[in-house]
Amino acid sequence: MPTASEAEVAAWLAAAQRVTVLTGAGISTDSGIPDFRGPQGVWTRDPSAQALVTIDAYLADPQVRRRAWQARLTHPVWQAEPNAGHRALVDLERSGRLRALVTQNIDGLHQAAGSDPELVLELHGTVHWVRCLSCERRTPMREVLERVRAGEADPPCGDCGGIQKSATVSFGETLDPAVLAAAVRASRDCDLFIAAGTSLSVHPAAGLCEHALVAGARLVILNAQPTPYDPVADAVIRAPLGEVLPRLVAHVAPTDAPA
Ligand code: ZN
């Protein structure tokens, strides 16, 4: 199937009333946060790093937890700034068209760029909070990292002494059902669905495309690499997100929006 041009996608966006956007690691690589499965990906370079985000290994092995806390301490997210791709989605929101911003990212950069936190659905959780795996108490990551810096290699929960972890979804854990349900609703309730910077290889995130298609929405894929959904997409654009998103949104952004 021939894919539509960028100009056609811009026209669809201008005509759209409810746009749901799904973002993946590709939108944050320009902010210095490496992806996981790409050529320079975290797991490509060090396959053992995957144990740090696998719940059984994390629970069973104090060594894995100590490595995980060190990795959190030095995570590039603490230095990262939102980029032009994140900012373009803030402009899209200001145009009144954004139904929801679903993200597979845990970096909080959409909110840092100025996206309304109410519209951001973090499918895989957030690295900005810590969760106790026994009592579910949530603590700001900043506070717990202070304890790590002060010498606690594997800081337990201050309430119950339980094992703590970033409030992200590890392998072997299920997604927050409320967040997933809201993402499915937003995918069924849009006339344009844009998947940006995601390989669409991880379910259930990837399946959101199907919900949108079944509901009659157009599907636009913006990604550097091919995805399994390219054959059913109305448009596939391979240009860098930091360039293509601002170009697309320029047609709909309010002219008085702050730069
Ligand atoms: Zn606890």
Side-chain angles (χ1 to χ4, degrees):
M1 187 172 72
T3 175
S5 68
E6 187 180 314
E8 284 173 278
V9 174
W12 296 343
L13 190 62
Q17 301 197 329
R18 293 181 314 285
V19 182
T20 291
V21 180
L22 169 67
T23 63
I27 198 167
S28 290
T29 47
D30 277 354
S31 293
I33 299 180
D35 61 15
F36 296 101
R37 297 181 175 83
Q40 294 302 316
V42 175
W43 299 332
T44 312
R45 289 183 291 126
D46 178 13
S48 78
Q50 204 157 340
L52 306 186
V53 291
T54 301
I55 191 66
D56 288 346
Y58 192 88
L59 285 171
D61 187 349
Q63 192 63 35
V64 166
R65 294 199 293 278
R66 285 194 285 270
R67 271 188 70 194
W69 283 111
Q70 286 304 312
R72 286 169 195 140
L73 207 53
T74 57
H75 198 291
V77 72
W78 312 123
Q79 267 80 46
E81 303 275 352
N83 63 57
H86 297 104
R87 289 193 293 273
L89 294 176
V90 178
D91 289 339
L92 178 63
E93 178 185 327
R94 289 188 180 134
S95 81
R97 287 168 176 77
L98 186 67
R99 169 65 176 78
L101 177 44
V102 186
T103 185
Q104 297 171 268
N105 299 339
I106 56 161
D107 53 40
L109 287 177
H110 287 304
Q111 295 93 325
S115 288
D116 179 354
E118 297 280 312
L119 291 178
V120 180
L121 298 170
E122 296 176 305
L123 284 177
H124 295 162
T126 173
V127 75
H128 293 274
W129 287 84
V130 167
R131 180 167 69 91
C132 171
L133 297 174
S134 298
C135 75
E136 296 295 327
R137 173 187 150 130
R138 286 168 74 93
T139 312
M141 176 62 83
R142 191 172 9 93
E143 291 179 20
V144 183
L145 288 184
E146 277 309 314
R147 293 172 58 191
V148 178
R149 259 184 224 105
E152 287 186 73
D154 178 21
C157 171
D159 276 352
C160 77
I163 291 173
Q164 300 196 103
K165 188 177 87 59
S166 60
T168 52
V169 178
S170 296
F171 288 108
E173 287 187 300
T174 51
L175 275 62
D176 181 326
V179 175
L180 179 58
V184 169
R185 276 198 303 277
S187 304
R188 288 178 177 157
D189 178 37
C190 66
D191 45 24
L192 180 61
F193 187 99
I194 300 176
T198 164
S199 62
L200 296 173
S201 60
V202 179
H203 281 268
L208 296 174
C209 294
E210 263 160 43
H211 286 293
L213 285 171
V214 167
R218 281 201 167 100
L219 172 62
V220 172
I221 295 176
L222 314 175
N223 197 52
Q225 309 293 330
T227 84
Y229 288 86
D230 290 1
V232 294
D234 294 284
V236 178
I237 298 177
R238 300 245 180 268
L241 290 180
E243 297 169 15
V244 70
L245 275 173
R247 280 204 302 265
L248 288 172
V249 172
H251 298 274
V252 301
T255 49
D256 59 347

